[in-house]
Amino acid sequence: MQYAILAVEADADFDARNDPALAESYWASWASYVAALGESGVMTAAAGLQPPQSATTLRARGGSTSVQDGPFADAKEHLGGIFLIDVPDLDTAMEWAARCPAAVNGSVEVRPILPSMG
């Protein structure tokens, strides 16, 4: 089965990415996790995301479109990255999610991928 591991990080985690005192350990934890996923052969795709301030939010309502810079919601946690994995079951997906660095200070959501439409 295919699952998405959604890494949700706190603002402090996004700040740690560029903090000279914290960046090295922050990125090392992610490099280790990505390497483990890759070596296991379960990862089918992955993408880290830029901070929420770099987002552009689009909404189409009643025939008109509105565009807003930045995230739409004022939240304390934001999606920081996505990993797609192919594993036998939810229990295995949860084991990989528990190893995700975002689980320490943020949260990790696991969702099954919809079957192919074609």
Side-chain angles (χ1 to χ4, degrees), residues 6 13-14 21 24 26 29 31 37 40 52 59 61 70 73 77 84-85 89 98 103 105 109-110 117:
L6 307 171
D13 296 318
F14 280 98
E24 185 175 342
Y26 172 89
S29 69
L37 283 168
S40 73
R59 296 208 183 288
R61 302 286 190 273
E77 294 184 330
L84 300 182
I85 61 173
D89 52 40
N105 296 319
E109 183 175 336
V110 176
M117 302 284 275

Side-chain angles (χ1 to χ4, degrees), residues 22-110:
L22 303 172
E24 185 175 342
S25 63
Y26 172 89
W27 290 114
S29 69
W30 283 103
S32 175
Y33 182 63
V34 171
L37 283 168
E39 291 167 6
S40 73
V42 301
M43 184 170 59
T44 60
L49 301 175
Q50 294 288 337
Q53 301 84 342
S54 67
T56 303
T57 301
L58 182 135
R59 296 208 183 288
R61 302 286 190 273
S64 64
T65 303
S66 66
V67 177
Q68 174 184 333
D69 289 337
F72 182 75
D74 185 23
K76 294 182 181 183
E77 294 184 330
H78 307 279
L79 185 59
I82 301 167
F83 300 88
L84 300 182
I85 61 173
D86 193 348
V87 294
D89 52 40
L90 178 59
D91 289 338
T92 306
M94 294 299 290
E95 289 172 9
W96 280 107
R99 294 174 64 176
C100 181
V104 176
N105 296 319
S107 63
V108 180
E109 183 175 336
V110 176

